Amino acid sequence: MSTGVLPEGGGEGPPRLALTAAGALHAFARAEPDAERLALQAVLAGPELLSPAAWLARDAGHARLLPRAADAGWLTVIHRALRAPDVRLDDFVPQVIAGLSGERCAALASDGGFCVGHTGYNASEAEALCVAAADFTEFAARQRARGWHGASDRVCFHRDVNLLIPSVSFVPFWIDGIDHCLVLGGEPLLNQPAFVELLWGLQAAATRFARQLPAGWHGPGEASGAPPGGTPPGSTPPGGGRGGGGAGLKPPG
């Protein structure tokens, strides 16, 4: 099925709906996504990409969103069956984020400044930048509470007076309500499939982790058999998922 309004990539396989980098940035840019963002997130919600027909059939609102998404460049159609990355995050993250930085220096912060992975930076630099990214996320939340919603978007820091190529950029996004922030050294190179792959891999890891939670688990600090803030007994954190044959998107095997 062709949508008739979306750009289509090459290939001879069945059509599959995919987010562009711009679509991924928009879809995951808020801690509490609205219906439009949730519809876009649904493109990456499963273990493999949906056909356009399957996505449209999920909700009547998807058909209304399609022309706007096409105009904004949020969606595309590819002719390859792709599966979500199923790899350990500590192996996957450094590989996939390296190409998003012009200097191949990048880190990923999560949930209050924890460094999920880094490349190009040494450990102390990466940890300091991840804490700074968490501070920016908190700053942005305070500004949104005061009515300035522009603070929820990306920010660049510069050393040169011309403000051309940034020294570092912070790109915040949320997966299942958990804050993340991508730290990129030099020129940010977000407009590529690797950024979509990163978000899909993180969402897939969160889904696998949720499935491992024991019955009766209600979250940190509640009567669930886990210490406050700890990992539930018998479960594996998202970084400890099953290893795979590399960090790339894999065709169904």
Side-chain angles (χ1 to χ4, degrees), residues 97 101 103-108 117-127 129 159 167-170 183-186:
I97 65 177
S101 158
E103 297 179 354
R104 298 190 69 82
C105 291
L108 179 65
H118 63 91
T119 185
Y121 295 116
N122 62 42
S124 61
E125 289 174 326
E127 289 171 2
L129 285 165
R159 291 194 185 100
S167 59
V168 67
S169 303
F170 293 161
V183 177
L184 300 174

Side-chain angles (χ1 to χ4, degrees), residues 5 88 154 237 240:
V5 296
R88 291 177 58 91
R154 283 70 66 189

Side-chain angles (χ1 to χ4, degrees), residues 112-152:
F114 173 73
C115 184
V116 179
H118 63 91
T119 185
Y121 295 116
N122 62 42
S124 61
E125 289 174 326
E127 289 171 2
L129 285 165
C130 286
V131 171
D135 287 346
F136 170 75
T137 300
E138 293 177 0
F139 164 80
R142 291 196 301 271
Q143 301 312 309
R144 289 195 301 276
R146 294 169 180 166
W148 182 41
H149 292 273
S152 62

Side-chain angles (χ1 to χ4, degrees), residues 151-200:
S152 62
D153 294 320
R154 283 70 66 189
V155 63
C156 295
F157 299 89
H158 299 261
R159 291 194 185 100
D160 68 290
V161 69
N162 294 317
L163 303 180
L164 296 176
I165 302 298
S167 59
V168 67
S169 303
F170 293 161
V171 183
F173 57 90
W174 284 261
I175 303 290
D176 288 342
I178 302 299
D179 62 281
H180 295 73
C181 194
L182 189 58
V183 177
L184 300 174
E187 182 181 6
L189 304 174
L190 289 174
N191 191 24
Q192 54 179 308
F195 180 69
V196 182
E197 182 181 359
L198 172 65
L199 270 62
W200 197 13

Side-chain angles (χ1 to χ4, degrees), residues 46-99:
E48 59 184 297
L49 293 179
L50 298 171
S51 68
W55 181 77
L56 289 169
R58 285 196 166 191
D59 190 283
H62 291 182
R64 294 190 295 271
L65 171 60
L66 188 62
R68 169 169 159 76
D71 290 342
W74 293 338
L75 292 171
T76 188
V77 173
I78 63 175
H79 289 269
R80 287 183 298 153
L82 296 177
R83 296 190 66 84
D86 185 10
V87 291
R88 291 177 58 91
L89 290 186
D90 50 3
D91 297 328
F92 168 70
V93 168
Q95 293 185 45
V96 77
I97 65 177

